[in-house]
Amino acid sequence: MPDTLQAPDADTLSRLFLEARSHNGWQDRKVPDDTLRTLWDTLKMGPTSANCSPGRFVFIRSEEGKERLRPALSGGNLDKTMAAPVCVIIAHDPKSYEHLPDLFPHADARSWFTGSDDLARETAFRNGTLMGAYLMIAARALGLDVGPMSGFDKTKVEEIFLAETGWKANFLCNLGYGDASKLYDRLPRLGFDTACRLV
């Protein structure tokens, strides 16, 4: 077994991380529904605890849907979201453990969570957040650009879009084909010695 893993090709690293950017401006170019279905079929393969798969996604791509979202957006996120081809509500299902008999048949995994609402909520939030990250990486791999956001009224989003499901909103992410002319300069990142420890 080699001491180091073989690095992916430079183009892949650039597309997913090194040259990829969070976009604020968008080309007037639709994202087909088939692409969104492929996005789901890709991101759902990322690992979650006991394959619990609590991530839930609402793809808002109609003008009517965006108008419903409008009152929940902060001022700084309004125009770019209205212009984006798609805005995704990244959410999670606090009762995703109900699917565990199918998703994790090796054990009675459902019983791990039915006795503790706190554990169920924490597990759903953590793994739903992971699935949101998988969405962004998968979108970039499929040739889309992303613009994740935290500036929104969570209560309004849940009332408008999620009330019938019981899902809980985490963050928003615009999707489409970015307008590079509207990018800000890249911001710095922390160095290894500041953010990491070798133990």
Side-chain angles (χ1 to χ4, degrees):
M1 182 71 112
D3 291 335
T4 57
L5 295 175
Q6 181 177 356
D9 66 88
D11 287 345
T12 299
L13 285 177
S14 293
R15 183 184 309 120
L16 300 185
F17 293 103
L18 302 180
E19 299 298 329
R21 302 295 305 279
S22 293
H23 280 263
N24 298 293
W26 302 94
Q27 300 175 40
D28 184 14
R29 185 177 165 196
K30 289 186 177 181
V31 177
D33 287 357
D34 284 349
T35 299
L36 299 178
R37 292 180 181 278
T38 300
L39 177 58
W40 165 250
D41 285 336
T42 304
L43 79 90
K44 72 183 182 181
M45 302 309 291
T48 55
S49 299
N51 198 34
C52 61
S53 306
R56 302 291 183 266
F57 304 90
V58 179
F59 294 96
I60 303 170
R61 75 271 195 276
S62 68
E63 291 305 315
E64 182 270 337
K66 289 181 190 176
E67 287 302 321
R68 290 171 61 201
L69 181 63
R70 181 187 289 272
L73 295 169
S74 67
N77 287 334
L78 182 58
D79 289 345
K80 63 185 177 182
T81 301
M82 292 296 107
V86 181
C87 180
V88 191
I89 302 170
I90 286 87
H92 57 277
D93 182 358
K95 294 188 175 181
S96 56
Y97 55 79
E98 297 290 357
H99 296 279
L100 285 173
D102 294 321
L103 295 175
F104 195 80
H106 316 298
D108 180 16
R110 181 180 177 278
S111 67
W112 304 342
F113 301 100
T114 52
S116 173
D117 288 343
D118 287 344
L119 178 61
R121 278 193 299 269
E122 181 180 349
T123 300
F125 176 72
R126 178 184 299 117
N127 288 276
T129 303
L130 274 176
M131 292 182 75
Y134 299 150
L135 175 136
M136 291 189 288
I137 295 169
R140 287 173 169 176
L142 292 171
L144 297 171
D145 293 304
V146 302
M149 304 172 290
S150 293
F152 69 101
D153 186 320
K154 180 177 180 290
T155 300
K156 285 182 180 177
V157 166
E158 290 176 353
E159 287 174 353
I160 296 167
F161 292 97
L162 307 178
E164 295 181 358
T165 64
W167 302 350
K168 299 299 178 183
N170 188 342
F171 64 101
L172 306 179
C173 186
N174 289 330
L175 289 177
Y177 303 94
D179 180 351
S181 71
K182 295 183 179 179
L183 285 171
Y184 300 120
D185 291 340
R186 183 182 282 282
L187 296 171
R189 301 297 198 267
L190 296 174
F192 183 92
D193 290 339
T194 301
C196 305
R197 292 289 182 269
L198 297 173
V199 180

